[in-house]
Structures are given as structure tokens and as C-alpha cells.
């Protein structure tokens, strides 16, 4: 039994090991845009970018082929195409405390899904323990979760509440009574975050 647990944890660790792929992209600074080749970490299973690692830093090669590290404090945005997806990650003040608590960065790169007056981002977090419906949380393992993040204008970031989504969002959209009422009446639910953001950008001040 002990060997089985060790093997299971080792396998889970193997799943989360990442490789990297070189892709062309751009770094957007305050007054300049630079073409580079990014070294994008990729999850072993699923072959998709490891966005959680990119939130903290990105490795790239400059025009001379020199390998460099870009921190979210140093640029406004990074852009690159991965498969069929155009990925933009914007630098934002890390008011949510996402990532390594020992990091010296005050900002974080967040993948943007919808741009506008109200922005919709994704953030990626790792929690300890793997949920099992029959046994609960298994210590020693870890799992990654994806969260929606909202930003209205240049205000602080907001992760919608999981357990009290309706009341949380009714308060958050105090500046748009029409939207607040739709959420109150459950015309918009937790699964409709994208539709909520689009409605705000189209109909609210």
C-alpha cells in the first residue's frame, strides 16, 4: 500500500512536469514593441501552455539569440500564437496575491479573454491535495484550478465569489443597475461570466 501511494504521487508529479516550445511573439513595453521568440512552458498532458508559470515570468530569446527573462514588472503585455489560439497576457498589479509569496514582482501576467471597459482575465492557481469524492483530499498531491478575474477600468482585480456569486456580483456592479437586476433575477448565473462582461461593455456606462 505504501509503495502504491509513492507511485501515485510520483505519477502525479510526472503529469505536471513541463517541457517548452519556442514560438514567435511580441513584448509590448510602455513605448516600444519588440519581436522575440518565447520559450513557452507546456504541460506534458494536453500540450497547452503552462499559464500558471507564465504568470510569474517568461523566458525569451532576443534578436541576437540571447536568452533572457522577462518579469511582469518590466512590460505591459506579451502576445503569441499557440496552435489556433492568439494569447495575450497583460501585466497587472498583483492585488490578489497570486503566485509565489516570495516573489519580488509587484505585478503578474494574466491571460485576457475579453478586453474593454470591463476586462475578463483567467488566473491559474495550484492547490495542495487532490479532491476525491469518496475519500476527500489526498495530502501530498496537488491540482490546478482556473479562476475568472474581473477588472473594471484601472481598478483592483476581482475574483467572483464561488459560494455567494449572486450577491457578490450584485454589489460589484453597483454602477450598472440593469446588470445588477439581471444577476439578482438569475438571468445571469455563475456560468455566464463571459456574457456578463459582454453585457457590461455594451450597455453600462
Amino acid at each position: 500500500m505504501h509503495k502504491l501511494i509513492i507511485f501515485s504521487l510520483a505519477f502525479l508529479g510526472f503529469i505536471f512536469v513541463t517541457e517548452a516550445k519556442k514560438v514567435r511573439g511580441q513584448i509590448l513595453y510602455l513605448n516600444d514593441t519588440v519581436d522575440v521568440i518565447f520559450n513557452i512552458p507546456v504541460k506534458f498532458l494536453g500540450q497547452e501552455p503552462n499559464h500558471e508559470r507564465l504568470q510569474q515570468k517568461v523566458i525569451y530569446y532576443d534578436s541576437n539569440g540571447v536568452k533572457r527573462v522577462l518579469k511582469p514588472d518590466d512590460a505591459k503585455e506579451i502576445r503569441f500564437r499557440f496552435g489556433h489560439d492568439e494569447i495575450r497576457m497583460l501585466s497587472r498589479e498583483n492585488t490578489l496575491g497570486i503566485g509565489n509569496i516570495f516573489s519580488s514582482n509587484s505585478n503578474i501576467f494574466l491571460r485576457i479573454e475579453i478586453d474593454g471597459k470591463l476586462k475578463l482575465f483567467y488566473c491559474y492557481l495550484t492547490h495542495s491535495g487532490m479532491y476525491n469524492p469518496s475519500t476527500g483530499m489526498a495530502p501530498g498531491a496537488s491540482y490546478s484550478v482556473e479562476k475568472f478575474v474581473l477588472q473594471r477600468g484601472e481598478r483592483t482585480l476581482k475574483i467572483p465569489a464561488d459560494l455567494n456569486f449572486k450577491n457578490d456580483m450584485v454589489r460589484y456592479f453597483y454602477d450598472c443597475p440593469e446588470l445588477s437586476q439581471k444577476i439578482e433575477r438569475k438571468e445571469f448565473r455563475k456560468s455566464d461570466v463571459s456574457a456578463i462582461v459582454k453585457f457590461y461593455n455594451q450597455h453600462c456606462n
Side-chain angles (χ1 to χ4, degrees):
M1 180 66 178
H2 181 66
K3 290 182 178 180
L4 178 60
I5 293 174
I6 293 175
F7 174 79
S8 298
L9 295 178
F11 178 73
L12 288 170
F14 178 71
I15 288 176
F16 290 105
V17 168
T18 57
E19 54 181 7
K21 289 188 176 180
K22 293 181 174 61
V23 298
R24 295 184 182 277
Q26 294 179 316
I27 299 173
L28 281 68
Y29 295 102
L30 185 61
N31 297 310
D32 194 15
T33 299
V34 179
D35 294 326
V36 299
I37 295 178
F38 289 118
N39 205 44
I40 302 297
V42 179
K43 293 182 180 179
F44 178 77
L45 294 183
Q47 290 297 294
E48 61 181 19
N50 188 325
H51 294 100
E52 185 171 356
R53 289 182 61 182
L54 290 173
Q55 289 175 160
Q56 303 297 325
K57 66 180 181 180
V58 59
I59 296 173
Y60 71 96
Y61 297 89
D62 64 18
S63 58
N64 296 316
V66 178
K67 186 176 181 180
R68 300 187 182 277
V69 176
L70 180 74
K71 300 290 185 68
D73 289 354
D74 302 328
K76 293 196 311 176
E77 179 181 342
I78 60 172
R79 296 178 181 177
F80 59 92
R81 173 181 284 276
F82 198 92
H84 298 293
D85 297 327
E86 287 284 353
I87 295 176
R88 297 175 59 205
M89 299 187 74
L90 276 57
S91 176
R92 287 295 182 266
E93 184 180 359
N94 189 9
T95 55
L96 301 172
I98 299 170
N100 188 346
I101 61 174
F102 301 106
S103 172
S104 60
N105 294 328
S106 60
N107 285 18
I108 188 171
F109 282 128
L110 292 178
R111 180 178 179 180
I112 188 165
E113 176 69 13
I114 299 176
D115 205 348
K117 295 176 294 185
L118 177 65
K119 291 178 172 60
L120 175 61
F121 297 97
Y122 289 120
C123 75
Y124 301 84
L125 312 168
T126 294
H127 292 313
S128 298
M130 177 169 285
Y131 181 73
N132 184 307
S134 59
T135 63
M137 306 301 291
S142 63
Y143 65 102
S144 182
V145 296
E146 180 183 87
K147 295 277 190 179
F148 290 118
V149 179
L150 303 175
Q151 187 182 35
R152 193 168 48 214
E154 297 300 320
R155 300 181 186 182
T156 55
L157 304 173
K158 166 70 176 176
I159 295 180
D162 286 325
L163 299 179
N164 197 14
F165 177 84
K166 185 185 74 171
N167 291 338
D168 187 36
M169 291 293 94
V170 167
R171 289 191 297 268
Y172 184 71
F173 292 114
Y174 68 89
D175 61 331
C176 187
E178 185 180 1
L179 178 55
S180 291
Q181 290 168 12
K182 286 181 175 292
I183 296 172
E184 182 70 43
R185 295 194 298 263
K186 297 185 178 180
E187 294 179 33
F188 285 135
R189 299 174 182 269
K190 185 178 177 181
S191 59
D192 302 316
V193 173
S194 294
I196 289 172
V197 173
K198 291 175 182 177
F199 183 94
Y200 185 95
N201 287 333
Q202 292 173 3
H203 301 288
C204 302
N205 292 332

